[in-house]
Amino acid sequence: MNRDEPLARHAVTMSADQDASGSAGGATAASARRIAHLDMDAFYASVELLRRPRLRGRPIVIAGRQPKVLRIDASMRGVVTTASYEARQFGVRSAMALAEVARRCPDCLVVPVDFDEYRRLSRMFKAVIRSFTAQVEDRGIDEVYIDLSDTPGIAEGRGRVLAQRLKDAIREATGLSCSIGLAPNKLIAKIASDLEKPDGLTVIEAGDIAQRLWPLAVRKINGVGPKADERLAALGVQTIGDLARQPLALLLEHFGNRYGHWLFEAARGIDERPVVTWSEPKSRSEETTFERRLHPQRDWRQIARVIASQAESVAQGLDRRQYLAGTVGVKVRFDDFRIVTRDVGMREPNADPVMFRRAAFEALARVPMDRPLRLLGVRASALEHAAQRLRTGGETATSAQAGGAPAGAAAPKAPPPIDDLFSPGE
């Protein structure tokens, strides 16, 4: 997401205390809500340290697919997926080139990426959260928003007691720590979760905005990116408090109607977005990383078996949940970490494993196979629910219909929650 763009939100009705004077009272109307943002601490690195406790206290980065832990070397190619807190003390950050890491932190260790394990732990900690409440918005493999407004115990200690119980339950189940921000809305909760990392718990009420948020850099607002930050700095705006003191007319003049209004409200802690527990899925995919490099000619049979298996699995997963795909594609990562993708459009949206296999092989044939392979994947996109297609008069091709069920038989079930359909982070 482009951080220069405001997050999607409901329209906000401006009340009398939301004027250009910089009053922070705008969050009061939503103060009855208790929204938490939960963020796992250095998630990938923390998962690896669970498996390699001898590395605790040492600077590490997660990067690459090498078979073992290596000491950083300036000749290494690739970029950092994430870094431990010890590495971050040297200025190491995600997406930094490994050569730059070697310059900043010569003693850093490079640990290979293991997305299967990260997804497994992600499912575990999210299951713990859902044992407290079903009001959970999945925001990726390592973070969620939680609406705790109606959860028993939320009134105790301004919600701190319940939030601590949640943190303790996650640590007991996974061995991992997380940081929680608890606030009247998602915008403030997101800022709060980052203030006391790692293993933090920060509670911010509507009345705390001026004291707790306004001294912070304006970049702390999720939705203010580097470009907007530069433009705000040119106006003399460095902190959230500086932004809150700007007249609405000035913000509209420099940032336009939509983003200007959003900046004006964000500085005052105004955010009426709900916690969204379900959203229409956009894709489903499966990937396989190989322990050894596969030669495109000598290992063709293994490559074909993997692609066929992935295509069938993706199709069957969609079919079970009554989704159809309009596009099937493949992803190939070569031994030099170059990634190539190719897509094939389906004549009609379907979830037929045979048609998926054909499309996947057609897409794979379009990939220049000029180097050994490290990863293969199949992805289905342009999804729609079969019930919607039947309502609009379209035909569907699912495995059930391929077996002879009439196209106009019983209407498919309503779409399931997105978390039942896809692995986190896909």
Side-chain angles (χ1 to χ4, degrees):
M1 181 181 67
N2 183 350
R3 287 175 55 90
D4 284 347
E5 291 295 326
L7 300 172
R9 61 183 180 85
H10 285 313
V12 175
T13 302
M14 301 295 286
S15 61
D17 57 354
Q18 298 170 20
D19 56 25
S21 65
S23 168
T28 304
S31 59
R33 293 202 299 161
R34 307 300 292 163
I35 308 300
H37 179 258
L38 185 150
D39 192 17
M40 301 302 290
D41 297 322
F43 183 53
Y44 296 174
S46 298
V47 171
E48 295 299 341
L49 291 174
L50 278 180
R51 301 194 288 184
R52 300 176 171 91
R54 288 182 297 177
L55 298 184
R56 290 191 181 278
R58 303 185 64 175
I60 69 169
V61 295
I62 311 301
R65 300 283 184 171
Q66 69 279 0
K68 60 182 180 180
V69 178
L70 301 174
R71 184 177 294 277
I72 193 72
D73 185 276
S75 64
M76 286 182 173
R77 301 177 63 182
V79 297
V80 174
T81 300
T82 192
S84 67
Y85 287 104
E86 292 81 3
R88 295 180 190 187
Q89 293 176 1
F90 293 86
V92 176
R93 294 291 183 268
S94 299
M96 180 176 287
L98 292 178
E100 177 64 15
V101 175
R103 188 184 70 79
R104 296 187 180 214
C105 185
D107 294 328
C108 196
L109 299 176
V110 183
V111 179
V113 174
D114 185 352
F115 284 113
D116 289 340
E117 182 67 2
Y118 308 152
R119 291 188 179 107
R120 186 182 73 85
L121 270 295
S122 178
R123 289 191 290 270
M124 287 180 64
F125 89 76
K126 289 172 184 176
V128 172
I129 297 171
R130 289 189 171 90
S131 71
F132 282 71
T133 177
Q135 301 303 306
V136 180
E137 178 179 333
D138 197 329
R139 296 302 300 171
I141 196 168
D142 61 350
E143 65 173 315
V144 297
Y145 287 105
I146 316 164
D147 191 339
L148 296 171
S149 305
D150 298 321
T151 305
I154 189 60
E156 189 176 357
R158 300 197 307 163
R160 182 177 290 274
V161 174
L162 178 61
Q164 186 61 55
R165 281 175 46 210
L166 180 55
K167 283 168 56 69
D168 293 343
I170 289 174
R171 186 185 290 275
E172 181 177 354
T174 67
L176 301 170
S177 70
C178 65
S179 294
I180 295 179
L182 187 61
N185 58 49
K186 292 163 73 172
L187 184 143
I188 302 175
K190 173 78 170 178
I191 297 173
S193 68
D194 193 50
L195 294 183
E196 299 178 18
K197 270 186 166 288
D199 200 19
L201 173 50
T202 306
V203 179
I204 296 181
E205 306 282 6
D208 300 330
I209 292 174
Q211 179 182 0
R212 299 294 302 277
L213 299 190
W214 283 1
L216 301 176
V218 72
R219 279 290 304 276
K220 287 289 187 180
I221 299 175
N222 186 41
V224 175
K227 293 181 180 178
D229 190 33
E230 289 179 8
R231 294 168 65 189
L232 287 167
L235 298 175
V237 174
Q238 301 289 339
T239 67
I240 299 175
D242 293 338
L243 180 59
R245 286 185 283 272
Q246 302 306 308
L248 176 59
L250 179 69
L251 296 177
L252 296 180
E253 176 186 352
H254 287 273
F255 295 96
N257 184 62
R258 181 168 175 258
Y259 195 53
H261 270 108
W262 181 81
L263 287 170
F264 183 81
E265 295 168 359
R268 291 158 175 76
I270 302 168
D271 180 18
E272 294 187 356
R273 291 174 299 150
V275 168
V276 179
T277 58
W278 182 87
S279 61
E280 193 70 29
K282 295 180 174 62
S283 66
R284 178 179 174 84
S285 64
E286 284 200 11
E287 295 180 356
T288 301
T289 301
F290 304 108
E291 293 184 0
R292 66 175 182 87
R293 294 176 295 181
L294 297 187
H295 190 277
Q297 281 79 45
R298 291 195 299 269
D299 298 311
W300 172 247
R301 286 186 175 86
Q302 182 178 354
I303 293 171
R305 284 196 299 268
V306 171
I307 286 290
S309 175
Q310 290 174 335
E312 291 175 3
S313 177
V314 170
Q316 290 165 357
L318 292 176
D319 187 32
R320 283 194 301 271
R321 297 162 179 87
Q322 296 293 329
Y323 273 91
L324 311 173
T327 302
V328 172
V330 297
K331 172 182 175 181
V332 179
R333 179 185 291 133
F334 294 99
D335 63 343
D336 60 356
F337 295 99
R338 181 169 49 94
I339 294 175
V340 176
T341 60
R342 294 291 186 270
D343 293 320
V344 172
M346 313 291 273
R347 291 204 310 178
E348 291 288 342
N350 71 87
D352 182 355
V354 174
M355 299 175 73
F356 268 48
R357 284 201 308 271
R358 290 174 181 169
F361 278 110
E362 181 181 342
L364 186 64
R366 300 178 184 176
V367 177
M369 304 291 273
D370 53 359
R371 295 189 63 90
L373 285 63
R374 296 302 302 267
L375 176 146
L376 280 174
V378 171
R379 175 184 177 91
S381 56
L383 302 187
E384 59 181 275
H385 196 260
Q388 176 63 32
R389 187 161 183 81
L390 288 173
R391 283 195 294 269
T392 58
E395 296 182 355
T396 66
T398 65
S399 62
Q401 291 174 6
K413 297 178 181 179
I418 188 169
D419 297 306
D420 293 340
L421 185 57
F422 301 117
S423 298
E426 291 184 350

